[in-house]
Amino acid sequence: MPLGDMPDSGGPLAEDEAEDLLRCICFKTGPPRTVGVELEWFVHDLGSPRLRVTPDRLRTAFGVLRTLPLRSALTFEPGGQLELSSPPAASLMECVTTVSADLTAVRTALAAHGLTLTGAGTDPWHPPRDRLLRQPRYDAMETYLDRTGPAGRAMMRDSASVQVCLDAGHEEPGPLGFERRWRLAHLLGPVLVAAFANSPVLHGRPSGLRSARQGLWADLDPVRATAPDTRREPRAAWAAHVLDAPVMCVRGGDGDGTGDGPWAVPEALTLRQWLRSGWPRPATRGDLDYHLTTLFPPVRPRGHLELRMIDAQPGEDGWIVPLAVTAALFDDPVAAEAAYRVVEPLAGAAPAGAPPPRDALWRGAARDGLTSPALREAAVACFALALRALPRRGASSAVLDAVAAFHERHVLRGRCPADDQSSPVTTAGAPGKDART
């Protein structure tokens, strides 16, 4: 969730200009060619993961990490979670190889400071974390999120995910068309939540959910973390959703967010209202860009599609399995068409109600994992499709073996990683064998 400063371009932005921009920049169509991944990790003490790591110790280690020659972008979350965001890769294996090498460098540097990475959707041991980052934007974000309860603070400080990034797809219809891929992402979402649920504990206590992290997202305000109407044309639906979403904050300083002063946190002001009224100051293109970073739907269009519903995974390279499965089901046309037919009935069987992830299907996925018969059946079929498609996508034997092992250990048995947590969560320690080759 890196919220970088966005440069303004030009003067006040009109409502019709904002809508046109949203339609142009959020779905960049063309042949699906690239894949990426964003990995969030908790940082724990290498020898005693239950020992609280002090902020000073984290800052010292993070300063060293910033000097590493990584290909992935390295950022840090408000609670001290570490995030690696891969560059766009021309293939699944290029993405796996690049990120695996960067993770090896990061782990080696952390180990020298007695620290390690832990893959879990929520911190499996500690009570609520202190906020490590103290910039005005995070102060404003916390103020806004506190209005709807404690889920926002926990999301900022105590959650971690695997986010898979895929090209939007062709302009034309078909299994690789952007409208079909947008729909598939929302239909497949609860299956991915259930299969990879890995956060049964929140603040050191059982949460009653297999994915407490997904539960946090569902409990944010009823617009910011929800999907637009997926029955509508994607560009129109997303543009309307963005314009009608509440403004989290108005950047301080000279209006470009670079000043040291506090940021305003308005009450019940949508972006559409801000653009029309010009209050508390005229909105600019930079404000639109920043507003987009404060929306957290399960699928976020950023030119490409960002799938945000997967918990961080245990082990050094557990993240490779959801990346490989998701990429195969989207980018292989045979698998994409078959997967769509598998998951389409799930939405029809779910009762009408709130949008994802607040609806019954997504909440059930977070609570029940693959103990849900319908989700288990869909996951079994989708994993089988992915295993057949991955060789066509150039996956290595090690990646195939990792997906097959997860399929056998978890999916076929109606289990997810959360169900393994009667024993301690596996941590990612010193560099070791992975699925790159």
Side-chain angles (χ1 to χ4, degrees):
M1 190 178 55
L3 302 177
D5 293 327
M6 304 290 182
D8 285 356
S9 55
L13 187 67
E15 181 182 348
D16 58 346
E17 292 176 314
E19 185 168 5
D20 287 344
L21 281 169
L22 290 168
R23 288 172 174 269
C24 292
I25 65 178
C26 291
F27 293 91
K28 296 180 180 178
T29 55
R33 291 195 177 104
T34 61
V35 62
V37 70
E38 299 177 14
L39 304 178
E40 296 170 344
W41 303 84
F42 294 107
V43 180
H44 288 121
D45 185 88
L46 179 60
S48 303
R50 295 178 183 274
L51 178 69
R52 183 71 74 107
V53 180
T54 65
D56 285 346
R57 191 177 172 196
L58 283 175
R59 290 189 185 100
T60 298
F62 290 170
V64 173
L65 295 182
R66 290 188 179 97
T67 69
L68 297 176
L70 306 175
R71 291 193 59 198
S72 302
L74 175 71
T75 53
F76 304 98
E77 297 296 303
Q81 308 97 306
L82 179 151
E83 180 174 0
L84 281 177
S85 301
S86 75
S91 69
L92 169 65
M93 289 311 303
E94 179 183 316
C95 184
V96 169
T97 300
T98 297
V99 177
S100 296
D102 287 343
L103 279 170
T104 296
V106 167
R107 290 191 186 104
T108 301
L110 286 176
H113 290 265
L115 299 172
T116 188
L117 300 178
T118 300
T122 53
D123 191 312
W125 297 297
H126 294 157
R129 288 168 166 250
D130 296 330
R131 179 155 60 91
L132 189 67
L133 303 181
R134 291 289 171 183
Q135 290 93 346
R137 63 172 174 258
Y138 292 118
D139 295 340
M141 178 182 288
E142 198 160 82
T143 298
Y144 176 89
L145 293 173
D146 281 349
R147 292 174 179 168
T148 54
R153 285 194 177 211
M155 174 273 292
M156 291 173 65
R157 305 180 185 193
D158 302 298
S159 69
S161 67
V162 172
Q163 298 176 20
V164 179
C165 300
L166 302 161
D167 285 333
H170 290 286
E171 187 72 29
E172 298 78 14
L176 300 186
F178 85 98
E179 292 195 42
R180 172 66 70 84
R181 286 161 72 86
W182 173 249
R183 177 75 170 153
L184 175 61
H186 290 88
L187 293 170
L188 186 64
V191 179
L192 297 174
V193 170
F196 297 110
N198 186 39
S199 51
V201 176
L202 181 63
H203 300 154
R205 298 180 179 179
S207 67
L209 304 174
R210 284 172 168 82
S211 179
R213 187 197 66 85
Q214 186 59 48
L216 294 175
W217 289 112
D219 288 340
L220 294 184
D221 75 66
V223 177
R224 185 163 308 281
T226 59
D229 187 348
T230 58
R231 296 166 298 181
R232 296 180 60 189
E233 190 277 326
R235 289 191 177 101
W238 178 246
H241 183 76
V242 172
L243 291 169
D244 292 328
V247 173
M248 178 177 283
C249 52
V250 176
R251 298 175 302 159
D254 295 325
D256 60 0
T258 58
D260 294 328
W263 293 16
V265 186
E267 292 267 9
L269 176 69
T270 68
L271 179 61
R272 193 186 300 275
Q273 292 167 337
W274 186 12
L275 292 165
R276 289 178 177 178
S277 69
W279 180 89
R281 61 166 174 78
T284 66
R285 166 67 189 272
D287 293 317
L288 172 62
D289 290 339
Y290 187 81
H291 179 65
L292 288 169
T293 72
T294 70
L295 302 180
F296 313 122
V299 184
R300 185 161 64 179
R302 305 182 67 183
H304 59 274
L305 301 182
E306 181 182 83
L307 278 67
R308 302 170 49 84
M309 70 287 295
I310 302 169
D311 281 358
Q313 295 297 288
E316 290 190 8
D317 49 0
W319 58 274
I320 294 174
V321 176
L323 170 63
V325 169
T326 306
L329 294 178
F330 275 80
D331 290 347
D332 183 89
V334 174
E337 181 63 27
Y340 188 86
R341 291 198 300 268
V342 167
V343 296
E344 188 177 25
L346 291 175
R358 299 171 69 94
D359 65 345
L361 180 61
W362 284 72
R363 286 191 180 275
R367 181 186 62 246
D368 303 329
L370 294 185
T371 64
S372 160
L375 290 171
R376 177 184 178 181
E377 181 179 352
V380 169
C382 286
F383 266 73
L385 290 169
L387 283 166
R388 290 196 291 271
L390 281 168
R392 299 193 293 266
R393 309 306 302 172
S396 69
S397 59
V399 168
L400 281 169
D401 289 346
V403 173
F406 189 99
H407 187 214
E408 181 176 346
R409 178 178 178 179
H410 292 106
V411 178
L412 291 175
R413 301 179 185 182
R415 296 173 58 82
C416 60
D419 295 317
D420 298 337
Q421 291 195 31
S422 57
S423 57
V425 175
T426 303
T427 60
K433 182 179 179 182
D434 58 36
R436 283 174 284 174
T437 57

